[in-house]
Amino acid sequence: MRTVLVVDAANVVGARPDGWWKDRAGAARRLHEALLTAPVPHDVVVLVLEGGAKAGVRPGRDAHVRVVHAARDGDTEIAKQAREAAEAGREVTVVTADRALAANVAGVARVSGPSWLWDVLEETT
């Protein structure tokens, strides 16, 4: 079974007060680059970007990371991506600390917090 990790980029980036709000596009680009080399235990990573972060990474696939630009809000797109992957028979994990989003995807995905992902990302540094 293929595994899919759906990343709430805004929530993950927002979990660290490192000045991301001054450069949302740059923060998205750094997260994308980190995901490309991180030892993430999933076959596919779906990075969902919204708002100003979309300027940092073009939509599409790079290696095992697929970038999706949310048409409206990120939560709706994250839930959509999780449901589509689950319907395709994938095991899905969503990374978010957003309680409403976590409740929304509870029937189709496991939920992990941003600190779990940051720990994984730091393994490569």
Side-chain angles (χ1 to χ4, degrees):
M1 173 180 287
R2 291 186 55 124
T3 57
V4 177
L5 182 68
V6 182
V7 179
D8 179 349
N11 200 264
V12 170
V13 168
R16 294 246 167 127
D18 63 359
W20 61 265
W21 53 89
K22 298 175 191 172
D23 181 12
R24 294 173 195 267
R29 187 172 41 259
R30 288 188 298 278
L31 178 57
H32 177 257
E33 290 168 358
L35 287 167
L36 286 171
T37 59
V40 177
H42 296 81
D43 300 310
V44 177
V45 176
V46 179
L47 180 63
V48 178
L49 301 177
E50 61 184 297
K54 294 191 289 189
V57 187
R58 63 177 169 67
R61 188 174 185 122
D62 292 310
H64 65 287
V65 179
R66 185 166 52 91
V67 175
V68 176
H69 286 182
R72 296 183 305 153
D73 63 286
D75 289 2
T76 300
E77 188 62 39
I78 292 161
K80 175 183 174 228
Q81 293 295 321
R83 281 186 174 70
E84 287 177 357
E87 288 169 1
R90 309 296 189 241
E91 182 179 306
V92 183
T93 301
V94 172
V95 178
T96 188
D98 183 313
R99 291 181 185 169
L101 176 57
N104 189 11
V105 299
V108 297
R110 288 187 14 218
V111 176
S112 292
S115 61
W116 169 82
L117 183 57
W118 282 118
D119 288 347
V120 171
L121 295 176
E122 288 173 351
E123 288 180 27
T124 59
T125 59

